[in-house]
Amino acid sequence: MEDCLFCKIADGRIPGKIVYEDKDVMAFEDIHPTAPHHILFIPKRHIASMADITPEDGYLLGKLFAAAAQVARERGLAAEEQGYRFVTNVGPHAGQSVFHLHFHLLGGRPFAWPPG
Ligand code: 5GP
Ligand code: ZN
């Protein structure tokens, strides 16, 4: 999509601190981290939000989750005494501000549940 911020990061028009990349998915550091580790995982193909996912996107989602689990392991977040959160926001009540599907990988500190 011409005007989408995360499409621009995905195709290199805007720089990002890339953490992981393959032909389908990408991960990069969030520009305003809210935890010691705050990484965004996106499909390279434009999908506006979780609300637009179809069962045919299952393989893509599997790759996103597996990539996030790999990065979490590499950063020590999967250690027994640690842990992490992997979340996506949909719409105004959840605070979605970028309309290209992304999951936040958050780690390095405890997180409240339920979220505020
Ligand atoms: P949302 O609020 O839609 O769930 O998450 C959007 C996230 O994108 C926010 O955490 C925000 O800090 C991050 N973000 C916004 N603009 C940029 C940018 O230009 N580069 C990067 N790396 N992250 C961004
Ligand atoms: Zn996009």
Side-chain angles (χ1 to χ4, degrees), residues 1-15 100:
M1 275 239 309
E2 200 49 43
D3 269 346
C4 169
L5 177 62
F6 287 176
C7 282
K8 288 182 182 171
I9 292 178
D11 67 18
R13 278 178 287 162
I14 288 180
H100 178 128

Side-chain angles (χ1 to χ4, degrees), residues 5-6 9 28-32 38 40 89 95-98 102 104:
L5 177 62
F6 287 176
I9 292 178
F28 50 89
E29 302 281 354
D30 195 292
I31 203 166
H32 294 127
H38 189 168
L40 301 175
N89 295 316
Q96 184 180 7
S97 61
V98 176
H102 54 282
H104 300 252

